[in-house]
């Protein structure tokens, strides 16, 4: 309203709710505390809509449900970064969420371009297509930084993350292209063997004939 169109805020737990979790392994006190913090925030800014961004590691998902239950018209979107198996997500029940209309405004994501895609294709959209493009660009840059700093725990982790991100970028490119926006390049891996080199495979000795850097596949 005449200034920044968004204001980020952290909804934290406290020592009491943290201690209860440590003693009982119950995330409900953490979720309730974060919800209480949100209620205070809404009381200060009752005229604003809110987007709740969290992960599924502790009580955040349950807190998001509590927000929707009490302030459905204030919650524009719930974005959940999936950092563990969905079956371990505290407070999530797909059928219960569908019945109360929470599923339609929730995005579970493993890469931020997918979250941005959800935001850009909402009605009305939460971000512009140009914003979706920038998120995709930043995701590629971040992946490159991690790769250059050699912070992957293993080559398989890098390969899995590259595959996941490339699928997300491909979906975003489909939407960007549809709206006449520029697209982003998919991430390419460096090749280990050149054309003509001999390699040992499960089926015997083969000769490299080509390489797909996006899918990291060799043709022999």
């Amino acid at each position: 309203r005449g200034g920044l169109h968004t204001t980020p805020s952290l909804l934290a737990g406290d020592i009491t709710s943290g201690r209860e979790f440590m003693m009982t392994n119950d995330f409900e006190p953490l979720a309730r505390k974060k919800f209480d913090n949100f209620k205070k925030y809404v009381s200060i800014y009752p005229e604003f809509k809110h987007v709740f961004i969290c992960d599924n590691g502790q009580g955040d998902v349950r807190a998001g449900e509590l927000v929707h239950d009490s302030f459905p018209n204030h919650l524009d979107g719930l974005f959940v970064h999936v950092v563990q198996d969905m079956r371990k997500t505290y407070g999530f029940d797909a059928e219960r969420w569908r019945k109360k209309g929470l599923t339609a405004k929730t995005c579970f994501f493993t890469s931020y371009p997918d979250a941005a895609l959800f935001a850009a294709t909402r009605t009305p959209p939460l971000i512009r297509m140009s914003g979706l493009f920038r998120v995709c660009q930043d995701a590629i840059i971040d992946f490159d930084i991690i790769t250059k700093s050699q912070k992957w725990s293993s080559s398989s982790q890098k390969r899995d993350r590259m595959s996941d991100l490339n699928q997300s970028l491909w979906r975003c490119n489909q939407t960007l292209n549809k709206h006449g926006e520029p697209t982003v390049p998919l991430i390419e891996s460096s090749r280990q063997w050149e054309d003509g080199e001999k390699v040992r495979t499960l089926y015997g000795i083969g000769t490299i004939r080509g390489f797909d850097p996006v899918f990291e596949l060799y043709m022999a």
Side-chain angles (χ1 to χ4, degrees):
R1 302 215 172 192
L4 288 175
H5 67 283
T6 56
T7 302
S9 181
L10 176 66
L11 301 181
D14 61 5
I15 294 177
T16 300
S17 60
R19 182 173 62 245
E20 288 190 45
F21 163 69
M22 295 296 293
M23 298 297 293
T24 65
N25 198 33
D26 183 8
F27 285 121
E28 188 68 17
L30 280 171
R32 294 279 175 181
K33 179 58 183 177
K34 292 179 181 182
F35 172 59
D36 288 341
N37 289 339
F38 180 81
K39 286 193 295 184
K40 296 175 183 177
Y41 196 76
V42 171
S43 69
I44 300 173
Y45 303 104
E47 72 276 22
F48 284 100
K49 300 284 189 177
H50 303 271
V51 172
F52 189 29
I53 303 174
C54 61
D55 62 45
N56 73 328
Q58 295 186 351
D60 292 353
V61 171
R62 172 62 176 153
E65 181 180 17
L66 293 171
V67 169
H68 170 78
D69 291 345
S70 297
F71 304 97
N73 295 324
H74 285 77
L75 183 64
D76 263 355
L78 173 60
F79 293 80
V80 183
H81 190 192
V82 179
V83 297
Q84 65 173 357
D85 193 313
M86 281 294 297
R87 292 171 295 183
K88 297 180 180 180
T89 304
Y90 178 78
F92 176 65
D93 183 292
E95 182 62 18
R96 184 178 73 242
W97 281 36
R98 184 191 64 78
K99 289 181 178 179
K100 63 176 61 178
L102 182 52
T103 302
K105 63 172 69 172
T106 301
C107 174
F108 288 95
F109 66 93
T110 55
S111 67
Y112 284 95
D114 270 338
L117 179 61
F118 181 85
T121 54
R122 287 283 305 277
T123 304
L126 298 177
I127 64 172
R128 299 184 181 92
M129 286 294 157
S130 58
L132 171 61
F133 176 77
R134 290 196 300 272
V135 171
C136 291
Q137 282 186 314
D138 287 345
I140 295 172
I141 292 172
D142 288 345
F143 185 91
D144 186 56
I145 291 174
I146 296 173
T147 299
K148 288 181 178 179
S149 62
Q150 299 181 343
K151 290 186 177 180
W152 300 110
S153 61
S154 65
S155 59
S156 62
Q157 184 200 33
K158 175 188 173 183
R159 183 168 56 250
D160 290 344
R161 294 304 302 139
M162 186 181 81
S163 175
D164 181 59
L165 182 53
N166 271 340
Q167 291 179 53
S168 177
L169 293 173
W170 182 87
R171 287 189 289 269
C172 292
N173 279 341
Q174 295 293 102
T175 298
L176 289 168
N177 186 62
K178 179 181 177 181
H179 287 81
E181 298 287 339
T183 58
V184 296
L186 301 185
I187 299 171
E188 297 185 354
S189 60
S190 57
R191 63 188 301 170
Q192 184 174 354
W193 299 288
E194 298 298 329
D195 290 355
E197 285 192 57
K198 301 288 186 180
V199 294
R200 184 180 300 277
T201 73
L202 294 174
Y203 306 99
I205 303 298
T207 302
I208 299 297
R209 300 298 184 189
F211 177 67
D212 186 324
V214 172
F215 294 98
E216 201 173 2
L217 293 176
Y218 288 90
M219 289 155 277

